[in-house]
Amino acid sequence: MDDKEQRLSQQLDAMNLAYAQKLPDKIAAIKADWQQLRLQPAEQTLYALNRKVHGLIGSGATFGFAEVSKAAQALEDALSTYNHVLDTESALSTATVDLLLAELENAVNADPGHGKP
């Protein structure tokens, strides 16, 4: 490996590490939006929640967190029932979302190497 390849590899490793360090805050923000949506359903909160979850789908895959991406996709799919009905008593149960959020948290450490592609 030449110097240029080594520098690139180091930069990628640094980006993966930075992403891994930010994941707990990203998931905490998703959980906070979910709690807010449960307490006071609002389209703005739903939009913010969906945007954050959707962002994890792509970024998880990009940075080598396939399990995070997969868990975020399952959560996004479940939350899609809220796109037409802002009602916490809709087909989507609170317990279901809580379970999917727990799976998302567990996915952070699911991959050996924690994000190493």
Side-chain angles (χ1 to χ4, degrees):
M1 182 181 301
D2 65 19
D3 282 347
K4 190 174 185 177
E5 289 174 334
Q6 188 173 9
R7 280 193 309 264
L8 180 59
S9 179
Q10 289 171 343
Q11 288 172 341
L12 290 173
D13 287 345
M15 288 171 51
N16 285 349
L17 179 60
Y19 180 79
Q21 290 172 338
K22 291 178 184 176
L23 268 176
D25 290 338
K26 290 176 183 277
I27 293 171
I30 288 170
K31 289 174 72 175
D33 282 353
W34 169 241
Q35 293 305 318
Q36 180 63 33
L37 188 64
R38 287 176 57 196
L39 295 172
Q40 188 176 11
E43 286 186 46
Q44 181 179 353
T45 307
L46 176 61
Y47 176 78
L49 176 61
N50 279 322
R51 187 175 41 90
K52 289 171 187 167
V53 171
H54 186 76
L56 281 183
I57 295 169
S59 65
T62 298
F63 290 102
F65 282 82
E67 292 301 315
V68 168
S69 184
K70 182 178 170 184
Q73 181 66 62
L75 181 56
E76 182 182 58
D77 291 346
L79 288 171
S80 69
T81 63
Y82 271 84
N83 289 337
H84 302 290
V85 180
L86 270 177
D87 178 7
T88 55
E89 300 302 322
S90 68
L92 180 63
S93 75
T94 300
T96 299
V97 174
D98 290 341
L99 177 64
L100 290 168
L101 284 169
E103 288 178 11
L104 182 58
E105 285 181 300
N106 291 336
V108 172
N109 294 316
D111 291 315
H114 304 287
K116 292 279 187 176

